[in-house]
Structure formats: C-alpha cells, structure tokens
Amino acid sequence: MSKTKFITTTALMIAVTVVLQLTTSNLPLGAAKQFVTGSCVNMCLIISAGLAGLWSGAAVGVVTPFIALALSLSQPFFTPFIAIGNALLVTLYSLLKEKKILSLIVPAAVKFVFLFVSINIMVRVMQLPEPSAAAMSFAFGWPQAVTALIGTTAAMLILPGIKKAILK
C-alpha cells in the first residue's frame, strides 16, 4: 500500500470514528449508549486494520480517544488506558485475522481484561467515591468485552464488501 493511500485511509477512518462517537454519544439511549458507541468505535478500529494494516488501526485506536477527550466525550485519567486497550485490540486482531474465531475472541478478551484491571487500579489510586467508582468499574467491565465482540463481528462481516467496493 502506498504512503498516500495509508495516510488517506487512516485519516478517513479517524474522521469516521469521531463522527460516529459524536453522533452516538448524543443518542437518547441512557446506559445503552455505551454499547452503541463502543461497538461503532471498535468496528472502525478493525476496519482500519483490515483496510490499511496494523499501524493504521493502531493509529485510529490511539488518536481517537484523545480527540474524544478534546470533545469532552471522555475523562482525562482514563483516556490513555482506552488508547492502549484499542491498540491491543487492533494488534491482536491483526496477528490473528487468519484464524476467524480466535481473531474475534482473543482481542476482545484481552482488551476487556486490560481495561478492567487498569481502570480498577486507577479508581483505587484516585480514591473515587463509591458511586463513581462503581460506575467506572461497570463501564470498563464486561461491557468492554461485549462492544469489542460486536464491533469486531460487524467489521468482519462488512470488510469484504468494503474491500470489493474499493477494488472496483
């Protein structure tokens, strides 16, 4: 892939991810909003990696949490962990993509475990009051595994069509 195509694809996927974050974060879905937004973001990460490779997916995964922070869609203390979790998801997907079931389950599980453990440590270090601590523990708990599985599945289903359309 040429540098121009790599940069263009990566920039486009960053833009698509941010637009989806902004759009879905304004939906009146209550707690379900995390499932929609997270699934869309994870789908974009995998599509980026599928179209332009590991480094594109990793760039989208690392840059977009900081853009979300700048847009007040995220909290500063947790943003680096989200970026690392995204990079883990994309890296493991890229390494395992030839093994369909493993490329779906392993990246989601690793992202979930990383975020759950790191956020729970941060919650304790920051000594958040119990209602906030419980909310953060939940948000970075099992819903992360679910959104990673949904996003990866969606990406795996639509990537062949996107590739076919691009190659026309």
Side-chain angles (χ1 to χ4, degrees), residues 34-134:
Q34 176 183 1
F35 293 98
V36 175
T37 302
S39 298
C40 287
V41 168
N42 287 316
M43 178 185 69
C44 289
L45 302 180
I46 301 304
I47 289 172
S48 300
L51 292 177
L54 166 61
W55 293 111
S56 177
V60 174
V62 170
V63 169
T64 54
F66 291 97
I67 294 172
L69 176 62
L71 297 172
S72 300
L73 299 174
S74 184
Q75 298 186 14
F77 297 111
F78 305 112
T79 301
F81 297 103
I82 296 167
I84 294 168
N86 288 346
L88 286 169
L89 179 80
V90 170
T91 300
L92 291 169
Y93 169 79
S94 295
L95 293 173
L96 297 169
K97 67 183 171 191
E98 301 306 319
K99 298 173 173 76
K100 298 296 182 202
I101 299 298
L102 285 179
S103 69
L104 175 65
I105 296 170
V106 172
V110 170
K111 180 179 181 178
F112 153 69
V113 169
F114 171 77
L115 285 173
F116 183 75
V117 170
S118 60
I119 296 303
N120 276 289
I121 290 170
M122 281 300 296
V123 162
R124 283 182 181 76
V125 167
M126 295 171 59
Q127 299 179 340
L128 290 178
E130 185 49 40
S132 296

